[in-house]
Amino acid sequence: MTDKEAPGRRRVLTAAAATAAGTAMGWTPAFRLDAHAAGMSAPPSFPPGIRLVRQGFRNWSGEVALDAVWTALPATPADVVTLADWARAQGWRLRPKGSGHSWSPLLARRGEATGRLVLVDSTEHLTAIALRHGGSPAVTAQAGATMDAVHSALEAAGHGLTCVPAIGDLTVAGALAIGGHGTGVPAPGVGHAFASTVSDLVESLTAVVWDAAAGRYALRTFYRGEPDTAAFLLHLGRAFVAEATLRVPANVRLRCVSSYDIPMEELFGPPGGPGRTLDRALAGSGRVEVLWLPYTERAWLKLWSEEPRRPLTSRETDAPYPYVFYDVIPRQLSDLAAEIMRGATALTPVLTTGLAEGIRLGLTATATWDLWGWSKNTVLYMRPTTLRYVFAGWAVLCARADVQRVLHGFWSRFQQVLDAHRARGEYPVNGPVDVRITGVDAPAPDGPWLSPARPRPDHPEWDTVVWLNSTTFPGTPGEHTFHRDLEQWMVTHFTGWCAIRPEWAKGWAYGPGGAWTDAALLGRTWPGAFRTGQPAGTRWEDAAAALDRHDPAGVFRSPFLERLFSS
């Protein structure tokens, strides 16, 4: 550690203690002005009876900002049909809007022209949830229903979802659009089989599509196994899904045990190495997550197991989001982060060390090292108030036996690139690396065609997906170069014995202009990842063609998606 990196042990421990006890960091919503009340001129011939507002939009990290964009608040799915007919006639475009918990520009790009754009916000009224009981239980949720609301409704009825995103404020339609996932693989003798993405749980969905016979848009229900349904299961925002019916299993009690004592050299050590490697933890538990802060030696490891009865050492939790210390940042660390963003980047190791110490102290202060409760109460832990990092994300499809090989290769290269930047006085990553592991989705033709967890029929042994996320504060100097170097290496290394794909909601295709700007990755590599090894009629271009057939006017198409799907 250099002199610049060492303001003193007291500063680190003071900041860490504050993390354990800290205060919540709020998030200010974008503004909203009712079009009629404010006396603004609405778009031409806008349908009467549908509320229209002028509203600001910010995505999760704040990097995509639309300062004043028309936003419709439909009261019913039929209103969305009316909006689609209006947009087609007027030459406008619509974009589905949920909670905005995405980093990629699927809804809009920073600085995008919005003069002929209306966001369709489903979170105000399209939030109904209905349960189907009996031999094949399911839940039907409208687009704007949050996963939190779905989890609560399911738990009350004795059902639960386990392999789901850690943030419950995500909408159902948003989770389907990008293939939201959790962590968990089928492990012999330790639990039931898991779905890998929320998209793969869908039995049927209702979307707003073009009806050629009627000459207008209409609501149409697509059932699993029917032609084109697989293109809608994960559509990247290229369609408006009004509601979806998901199959649901019986709820289970999950125990989640945390540890913070395994060195990364051991946890992500070489395959076949000794000690407490992650593949051994995976074999014993089936459900794991790793959070590692750069420039620190150890990681926060969480292991889940199904336990019908509370273990003696576990504390029961009857509500989600038990790690309250993870939702806050104390003044000491926020000041330190501000210094870093003002140019004192050499303080980054002090920040990450303080955050790591805060997690350890927080687990003790909140008695959350060993938790037990219904599924949602241990798998949901990220609130909207959690620190707003930028996420880069990829998914590596591999054989279960090669999980440790993937992890060791990734972590070794991550360290090499980090060290190279550090030698130049650069500290481009100041947030945690997050690793989760799932199985694969259903195969073609019924499984979601654009899912990063899609299996490869030519490699049936590739039955596991390793999800790799790297995070940092928005605007951190050198972040784009760091992730470009890392991604370029992964694309050439994770091939032949495995395959890599982008995680759609995160950062990928890093080029000179940052994420989503590398022409070769956007035009060839990533579309090709959904062609290679897949049956004819279920490939990248087939998904794009199916979505175009049901929206030939491009009402739900964005400029970014137009470029991406033209590849």
Side-chain angles (χ1 to χ4, degrees):
M1 179 179 289
T2 68
D3 291 340
K4 290 182 178 180
E5 297 169 0
R9 178 69 173 166
R10 179 180 299 175
R11 183 173 185 178
V12 172
L13 291 178
T14 300
T19 301
T23 57
M25 180 183 183
W27 181 252
T28 304
F31 75 90
R32 172 182 288 183
L33 294 174
D34 190 281
H36 302 294
M40 294 179 286
S41 297
S45 304
F46 190 81
I50 299 177
R51 188 182 175 200
L52 183 69
V53 299
R54 195 75 161 165
Q55 178 171 286
F57 170 80
R58 304 288 185 275
N59 73 335
W60 175 268
S61 64
E63 289 191 306
V64 176
L66 305 178
D67 289 332
V69 60
W70 290 115
T71 304
L73 307 174
T76 66
D79 282 348
V80 185
V81 173
T82 300
L83 287 168
D85 284 331
W86 166 82
R88 176 179 176 273
Q90 297 296 325
W92 283 55
R93 288 187 174 180
L94 308 176
R95 307 275 171 79
K97 179 199 167 295
S99 301
H101 292 312
S102 178
W103 295 262
S104 59
L106 301 178
L107 184 144
R109 300 203 71 153
R110 180 168 44 191
E112 183 176 323
T114 60
R116 302 181 70 82
L117 172 67
V118 174
L119 303 184
V120 182
D121 188 342
S122 60
T123 63
E124 192 87 2
H125 302 293
L126 304 183
T127 58
I129 298 171
L131 298 175
R132 184 184 74 205
H133 304 283
S136 180
V139 59
T140 299
Q142 287 187 315
T146 64
M147 294 300 295
D148 267 333
V150 170
H151 285 301
S152 295
L154 289 175
E155 182 177 290
H159 301 291
L161 299 174
T162 53
C163 194
V164 291
I167 182 162
D169 196 45
L170 189 69
T171 64
V172 169
L176 296 180
I178 50 85
H181 67 92
T183 187
V185 297
V190 297
H192 61 275
F194 306 94
S196 297
T197 65
V198 177
S199 299
D200 200 35
L201 292 169
V202 172
E203 286 186 353
S204 65
L205 57 84
T206 300
V208 177
V209 299
W210 178 249
D211 184 337
R216 62 181 302 250
Y217 283 85
L219 292 167
R220 175 180 164 184
T221 299
F222 294 81
Y223 294 91
R224 198 68 177 261
E226 290 183 350
D228 294 349
T229 300
F232 282 88
L233 296 178
L234 195 162
H235 54 77
L236 308 184
R238 179 60 184 86
F240 192 99
V241 172
E243 69 174 33
T245 298
L246 283 60
R247 56 188 172 88
V248 294
N251 207 358
V252 293
R253 302 266 195 178
L254 291 178
R255 181 188 192 187
C256 181
V257 177
S258 292
S259 65
Y260 217 127
D261 62 339
I262 306 177
M264 284 296 292
E265 291 89 346
E266 181 179 350
L267 189 66
F268 282 12
R276 296 165 292 178
T277 57
L278 194 64
D279 62 345
R280 291 191 175 95
L282 185 67
S285 171
R287 195 186 304 276
V288 304
E289 183 176 24
V290 176
L291 283 142
W292 169 68
L293 284 149
Y295 315 107
T296 67
E297 296 180 356
R298 291 171 170 79
W300 181 10
L301 172 64
K302 288 184 279 186
L303 302 177
W304 286 264
S305 58
E306 292 186 21
E307 304 282 353
R309 295 180 177 81
R310 183 180 68 84
L312 185 63
T313 59
S314 298
R315 179 174 73 81
E316 183 172 1
T317 177
D318 57 5
Y321 311 107
Y323 309 112
V324 294
F325 55 86
Y326 200 69
D327 298 327
V328 303
I329 182 168
R331 179 65 179 269
Q332 292 92 333
L333 287 183
S334 66
D335 288 347
L336 188 58
E339 288 183 53
I340 290 169
M341 296 309 295
R342 286 194 296 266
T345 56
L347 294 174
T348 299
V350 180
L351 174 67
T352 57
T353 299
L355 291 171
E357 289 291 329
I359 292 172
R360 281 189 282 261
L361 292 173
L363 287 166
T364 299
T366 59
T368 49
W369 286 100
D370 187 347
L371 294 171
W372 176 83
W374 290 115
S375 57
K376 73 175 176 61
N377 299 334
T378 63
V379 300
L380 298 176
Y381 69 87
M382 288 184 67
R383 294 181 184 271
T385 50
T386 302
L387 283 175
R388 301 293 171 131
Y389 291 114
V390 175
F391 275 66
W394 303 272
V396 180
L397 176 68
C398 67
R400 184 80 59 84
D402 284 327
V403 165
Q404 195 69 21
R405 182 180 176 185
V406 170
L407 296 170
H408 181 67
F410 169 78
W411 184 71
S412 298
R413 183 60 182 180
F414 194 99
Q415 289 281 73
Q416 291 170 7
V417 180
L418 205 63
D419 289 344
H421 280 260
R422 191 173 185 173
R424 300 194 294 267
E426 298 173 352
Y427 297 81
V429 182
N430 43 47
V433 170
D434 178 74
V435 174
R436 287 172 287 172
I437 302 172
T438 69
V440 294
D441 282 337
D446 296 343
W449 292 347
L450 299 182
S451 172
R454 185 179 184 182
R456 283 269 298 269
D458 59 332
H459 283 284
E461 74 278 13
W462 295 355
D463 59 354
T464 304
V465 182
V466 182
W467 304 83
L468 304 168
N469 287 175
S470 170
T471 71
T472 195
F473 290 132
T476 299
E479 179 261 325
H480 292 152
T481 302
F482 175 87
H483 285 125
R484 176 173 170 78
D485 292 346
L486 183 65
E487 183 177 41
Q488 292 291 334
W489 177 86
M490 289 195 292
V491 166
T492 58
H493 181 75
F494 292 137
T495 184
W497 58 278
C498 63
I500 185 169
R501 295 161 176 160
E503 185 173 356
W504 295 120
K506 311 293 174 59
W508 38 271
Y510 283 87
W516 320 291
T517 65
D518 186 276
L521 291 173
L522 285 172
R524 294 192 300 274
T525 305
W526 292 138
F530 297 88
R531 293 187 183 108
T532 304
Q534 301 300 341
T538 71
R539 298 170 182 157
W540 173 267
E541 58 271 23
D542 302 305
L547 294 168
D548 279 344
R549 276 196 302 275
H550 294 286
D551 180 25
V555 166
F556 298 108
R557 186 191 301 134
S558 71
F560 177 73
L561 290 179
E562 193 164 354
R563 178 188 180 190
L564 185 63
F565 279 125
S566 66
S567 304

